[in-house]
Amino acid sequence: ERVSVGNHVGISEYTLVDGDGGVTIGNFVRIASHVAIIAFSHNYKDPHTPIKLQGKVSKGIIIEDDCWLGTGVSVLDGVKIGQGSIIGAGSVVIENIPPYSIAVGVPARVIKKREA
């Protein structure tokens, strides 16, 4: 499957999920509006060949159970967002986020851990 969505997932309006490289969304995930989840990137090494003609690279995206992605978040290819994590509004996720983290910014950085 290119896109797999778990149980009790909320995906709000104007959200884009491009599963070209595979997207797995766990259970109880909350995805706010205007989120972009893009599971591929373009090759661009050769400056003399149009980017469109250089093909794509795809690693896939995993969003584990009980995550919350705020409005306007972008999740780029090759990323795993760990269970129970929160990604703040407008953040751009370009690297893995450990479980139970709160990450914000461009690029998204962990600012603290969720505690019981």
Side-chain angles (χ1 to χ4, degrees), residues 33-52:
S33 62
H34 299 278
V35 170
I37 300 169
I38 311 296
F40 77 92
S41 186
H42 295 281
N43 290 318
Y44 54 87
K45 186 174 180 178
D46 182 355
H48 305 292
T49 301
I51 294 168
K52 178 175 177 58

Side-chain angles (χ1 to χ4, degrees), residues 2 10 15 26 32 57 74 77 83 87 92 98 104 112:
R2 288 174 40 168
T15 290
V57 58
S74 295
D77 190 42
Q83 180 173 346
I87 310 299
V92 178
V104 299
K112 65 182 188 177

Side-chain angles (χ1 to χ4, degrees), residues 7-62:
N7 296 313
H8 309 288
V9 172
I11 300 175
S12 294
E13 296 82 5
Y14 307 110
T15 290
L16 169 66
V17 180
D18 188 321
D20 201 31
V23 173
T24 301
I25 299 171
N27 299 312
F28 295 99
V29 171
R30 314 309 302 156
I31 299 175
S33 62
H34 299 278
V35 170
I37 300 169
I38 311 296
F40 77 92
S41 186
H42 295 281
N43 290 318
Y44 54 87
K45 186 174 180 178
D46 182 355
H48 305 292
T49 301
I51 294 168
K52 178 175 177 58
L53 300 178
Q54 294 188 52
K56 298 178 186 177
V57 58
S58 301
K59 299 175 186 172
I61 293 171
I62 298 170

Side-chain angles (χ1 to χ4, degrees), residues 72-83:
V73 166
S74 295
V75 182
L76 303 186
D77 190 42
V79 166
K80 179 179 180 180
I81 299 176
Q83 180 173 346

